[in-house]
Amino acid sequence: MARERQLEWIFWNLTVCGFWWLHLTRLPSAWPMLIPLLPLQLGANVFLVHLFGRSRLSALVALGTLGGFAGWLAEIRYHSWGITLIALCPLYRVLWLIWAERKELLLGRHDEVKDKRVLVVGLGKSGRSAALFLREHGAQVTVSDARSAEALAGEISALLDAGVMVETGGHGLLTFRRQDLIVVSPGVPYDTPELTQARAFGVPIIGELELASRFLQGRAVAITGSNGKTTTTALLGKIFADAGVPTLVGGNIGTPAIELVGRSIELCRRDEEEQNTGILRSAQNGKQAWIVLEVSSFQLETVERFAPHIAVVLNITPDHLDRHGTFENYAAMKARLTENQTPEDFLVLNAEDKPTQMLAARTRAQAFWFSSRRAIKQGAFVHGESVFFVPREGAKAEPVLPVAEVPLKGAHN
């Protein structure tokens, strides 16, 4: 999308310059009307973006309508189609951006990696999937694994057939330095000598989860915790699917997140086609596509932009200290799940787990809690024989269902 963005930026600046030049040289009498309109238009733009929030295309359409209204006023005021065309600059910009956004949606933002030299470190399941995905999207891909070629015989042939270069039996330092991007498999420690040197040379290093998050379409629910995250992920995916919500489940649970990209784009493309043919959008019926991901501390070690709409931290107890060194480091990796969330996102926390409770003070997301022992201010809890939910602080707790109707075995569930 870089080329489209650059062209759009140039076009927008040229039209704005033309607008100012016309008023300075041709219509000095328009200044008394123009000056008070500038803060009005700026305020309207800010209001519309705030009103539509994350829905960027809706905001753009609204801004385009504002531009069309400005052009109509200009035509009435000056009786000149030339002035009207320039006043319609916001509308031109919107149409351009909508085209660019649609192209980005259909192609899956492949320009971000096209023709880039990318090294995938580690030929586990996620590493193999990442390598094939990157190659499919136009990257020059190399895979490096410390295991021997004989041990990787079952994986190498498919990679070579796809045009991926394979390095086995160790990691070459020059291989790591000659890259535009390095994608690390979860099982590869982040502090190996080769990766440390690559960081010193300024080579960006991300993980498979971060790579997938840059291409996935739809909203994500990410679940982490020392215990119970696989069960919770599978259960949540089942609940969504049974409710008729288009749902994809993956991540650390089995299917690498990068393998969900194509299906998520297809779901969004189908939604766009329904909209274009006049069918009510599924999102308006609460059926927007959701990606439910199990996320491990190893995967969170290499995130940069990953920002799930809903993050769930079940618990944090000492684990994987051979990898992270200390419990504090391990807890810090879990906390990265929420570091890119915004006030429009949600963070679900365990009210009975002290390390998890500390995340509430570190997030910008809206914190909701769950407890099986006591009432809480915002979230879900068990009281007596029922599960209650409090939608916001100060609101009345509403019964959701009897505990007896929860089919899961064990009080901890």
PDB file of all heavy atoms in Angstrom, residues 228-237 253 294 314 408 413:
ATOM      1  N   GLY A 228      -5.165 -23.421  31.598  1.00  0.00           N
ATOM      2  CA  GLY A 228      -6.541 -23.312  31.137  1.00  0.00           C
ATOM      3  C   GLY A 228      -6.760 -22.585  29.831  1.00  0.00           C
ATOM      4  O   GLY A 228      -7.895 -22.498  29.355  1.00  0.00           O
ATOM      5  N   LYS A 229      -5.702 -22.070  29.199  1.00  0.00           N
ATOM      6  CA  LYS A 229      -5.934 -21.250  27.997  1.00  0.00           C
ATOM      7  C   LYS A 229      -6.396 -22.082  26.802  1.00  0.00           C
ATOM      8  O   LYS A 229      -7.191 -21.604  25.989  1.00  0.00           O
ATOM      9  CB  LYS A 229      -4.686 -20.440  27.642  1.00  0.00           C
ATOM     10  CG  LYS A 229      -3.417 -21.215  27.419  1.00  0.00           C
ATOM     11  CD  LYS A 229      -2.251 -20.253  27.149  1.00  0.00           C
ATOM     12  CE  LYS A 229      -0.938 -20.996  26.933  1.00  0.00           C
ATOM     13  NZ  LYS A 229      -0.449 -21.618  28.206  1.00  0.00           N
ATOM     14  N   THR A 230      -5.914 -23.323  26.687  1.00  0.00           N
ATOM     15  CA  THR A 230      -6.350 -24.158  25.564  1.00  0.00           C
ATOM     16  C   THR A 230      -7.830 -24.502  25.687  1.00  0.00           C
ATOM     17  O   THR A 230      -8.601 -24.391  24.717  1.00  0.00           O
ATOM     18  CB  THR A 230      -5.514 -25.444  25.497  1.00  0.00           C
ATOM     19  OG1 THR A 230      -4.133 -25.105  25.318  1.00  0.00           O
ATOM     20  CG2 THR A 230      -5.970 -26.318  24.338  1.00  0.00           C
ATOM     21  N   THR A 231      -8.247 -24.904  26.880  1.00  0.00           N
ATOM     22  CA  THR A 231      -9.657 -25.224  27.108  1.00  0.00           C
ATOM     23  C   THR A 231     -10.540 -24.013  26.857  1.00  0.00           C
ATOM     24  O   THR A 231     -11.590 -24.105  26.202  1.00  0.00           O
ATOM     25  CB  THR A 231      -9.860 -25.718  28.553  1.00  0.00           C
ATOM     26  OG1 THR A 231      -9.042 -26.864  28.780  1.00  0.00           O
ATOM     27  CG2 THR A 231     -11.317 -26.075  28.806  1.00  0.00           C
ATOM     28  N   THR A 232     -10.120 -22.859  27.372  1.00  0.00           N
ATOM     29  CA  THR A 232     -10.912 -21.638  27.216  1.00  0.00           C
ATOM     30  C   THR A 232     -11.017 -21.225  25.752  1.00  0.00           C
ATOM     31  O   THR A 232     -12.086 -20.829  25.283  1.00  0.00           O
ATOM     32  CB  THR A 232     -10.302 -20.492  28.042  1.00  0.00           C
ATOM     33  OG1 THR A 232     -10.195 -20.900  29.409  1.00  0.00           O
ATOM     34  CG2 THR A 232     -11.146 -19.242  27.951  1.00  0.00           C
ATOM     35  N   THR A 233      -9.918 -21.332  25.023  1.00  0.00           N
ATOM     36  CA  THR A 233      -9.926 -20.966  23.608  1.00  0.00           C
ATOM     37  C   THR A 233     -10.867 -21.860  22.815  1.00  0.00           C
ATOM     38  O   THR A 233     -11.690 -21.380  22.022  1.00  0.00           O
ATOM     39  CB  THR A 233      -8.502 -21.044  23.020  1.00  0.00           C
ATOM     40  OG1 THR A 233      -7.636 -20.194  23.765  1.00  0.00           O
ATOM     41  CG2 THR A 233      -8.494 -20.633  21.561  1.00  0.00           C
ATOM     42  N   ALA A 234     -10.753 -23.162  23.029  1.00  0.00           N
ATOM     43  CA  ALA A 234     -11.620 -24.105  22.312  1.00  0.00           C
ATOM     44  C   ALA A 234     -13.080 -23.883  22.674  1.00  0.00           C
ATOM     45  O   ALA A 234     -13.964 -23.905  21.803  1.00  0.00           O
ATOM     46  CB  ALA A 234     -11.200 -25.533  22.628  1.00  0.00           C
ATOM     47  N   LEU A 235     -13.350 -23.645  23.947  1.00  0.00           N
ATOM     48  CA  LEU A 235     -14.727 -23.449  24.390  1.00  0.00           C
ATOM     49  C   LEU A 235     -15.309 -22.166  23.812  1.00  0.00           C
ATOM     50  O   LEU A 235     -16.457 -22.153  23.330  1.00  0.00           O
ATOM     51  CB  LEU A 235     -14.772 -23.395  25.915  1.00  0.00           C
ATOM     52  CG  LEU A 235     -16.145 -23.152  26.558  1.00  0.00           C
ATOM     53  CD1 LEU A 235     -17.110 -24.274  26.184  1.00  0.00           C
ATOM     54  CD2 LEU A 235     -16.010 -23.034  28.072  1.00  0.00           C
ATOM     55  N   LEU A 236     -14.542 -21.090  23.828  1.00  0.00           N
ATOM     56  CA  LEU A 236     -15.032 -19.820  23.295  1.00  0.00           C
ATOM     57  C   LEU A 236     -15.285 -19.916  21.796  1.00  0.00           C
ATOM     58  O   LEU A 236     -16.294 -19.409  21.283  1.00  0.00           O
ATOM     59  CB  LEU A 236     -14.021 -18.713  23.582  1.00  0.00           C
ATOM     60  CG  LEU A 236     -14.472 -17.287  23.253  1.00  0.00           C
ATOM     61  CD1 LEU A 236     -15.727 -16.923  24.036  1.00  0.00           C
ATOM     62  CD2 LEU A 236     -13.359 -16.286  23.568  1.00  0.00           C
ATOM     63  N   GLY A 237     -14.392 -20.593  21.068  1.00  0.00           N
ATOM     64  CA  GLY A 237     -14.619 -20.793  19.643  1.00  0.00           C
ATOM     65  C   GLY A 237     -15.886 -21.577  19.377  1.00  0.00           C
ATOM     66  O   GLY A 237     -16.639 -21.270  18.447  1.00  0.00           O
ATOM     67  N   ILE A 253      -2.962 -23.112  19.997  1.00  0.00           N
ATOM     68  CA  ILE A 253      -3.838 -24.275  20.188  1.00  0.00           C
ATOM     69  C   ILE A 253      -3.634 -25.348  19.123  1.00  0.00           C
ATOM     70  O   ILE A 253      -4.063 -26.472  19.276  1.00  0.00           O
ATOM     71  CB  ILE A 253      -5.321 -23.833  20.209  1.00  0.00           C
ATOM     72  CG1 ILE A 253      -6.211 -24.934  20.793  1.00  0.00           C
ATOM     73  CG2 ILE A 253      -5.786 -23.424  18.817  1.00  0.00           C
ATOM     74  CD1 ILE A 253      -7.641 -24.511  21.026  1.00  0.00           C
ATOM     75  N   GLU A 294      -5.324 -18.683  20.953  1.00  0.00           N
ATOM     76  CA  GLU A 294      -4.569 -19.000  22.170  1.00  0.00           C
ATOM     77  C   GLU A 294      -3.161 -18.447  21.991  1.00  0.00           C
ATOM     78  O   GLU A 294      -2.517 -18.670  20.951  1.00  0.00           O
ATOM     79  CB  GLU A 294      -4.503 -20.507  22.406  1.00  0.00           C
ATOM     80  CG  GLU A 294      -3.667 -20.872  23.620  1.00  0.00           C
ATOM     81  CD  GLU A 294      -3.426 -22.359  23.751  1.00  0.00           C
ATOM     82  OE1 GLU A 294      -4.263 -23.150  23.280  1.00  0.00           O
ATOM     83  OE2 GLU A 294      -2.381 -22.738  24.331  1.00  0.00           O
ATOM     84  N   LEU A 314      -6.027 -15.429  32.084  1.00  0.00           N
ATOM     85  CA  LEU A 314      -6.696 -16.312  33.033  1.00  0.00           C
ATOM     86  C   LEU A 314      -5.980 -16.361  34.372  1.00  0.00           C
ATOM     87  O   LEU A 314      -6.618 -16.311  35.430  1.00  0.00           O
ATOM     88  CB  LEU A 314      -6.790 -17.716  32.448  1.00  0.00           C
ATOM     89  CG  LEU A 314      -7.563 -17.844  31.130  1.00  0.00           C
ATOM     90  CD1 LEU A 314      -7.440 -19.268  30.599  1.00  0.00           C
ATOM     91  CD2 LEU A 314      -9.023 -17.475  31.335  1.00  0.00           C
ATOM     92  N   LEU A 408     -19.600 -27.782  32.306  1.00  0.00           N
ATOM     93  CA  LEU A 408     -18.200 -28.093  32.546  1.00  0.00           C
ATOM     94  C   LEU A 408     -18.015 -28.698  33.931  1.00  0.00           C
ATOM     95  O   LEU A 408     -18.634 -28.265  34.904  1.00  0.00           O
ATOM     96  CB  LEU A 408     -17.341 -26.827  32.418  1.00  0.00           C
ATOM     97  CG  LEU A 408     -17.404 -26.117  31.077  1.00  0.00           C
ATOM     98  CD1 LEU A 408     -16.595 -24.838  31.120  1.00  0.00           C
ATOM     99  CD2 LEU A 408     -16.885 -27.022  29.969  1.00  0.00           C
ATOM    100  N   ASN A 413     -14.093 -24.238  36.741  1.00  0.00           N
ATOM    101  CA  ASN A 413     -14.618 -23.880  35.425  1.00  0.00           C
ATOM    102  C   ASN A 413     -15.892 -23.046  35.525  1.00  0.00           C
ATOM    103  O   ASN A 413     -16.421 -22.623  34.501  1.00  0.00           O
ATOM    104  CB  ASN A 413     -14.899 -25.131  34.596  1.00  0.00           C
ATOM    105  CG  ASN A 413     -13.628 -25.790  34.110  1.00  0.00           C
ATOM    106  OD1 ASN A 413     -12.701 -25.111  33.662  1.00  0.00           O
ATOM    107  ND2 ASN A 413     -13.553 -27.112  34.216  1.00  0.00           N
TER     108      ASN A 413
END
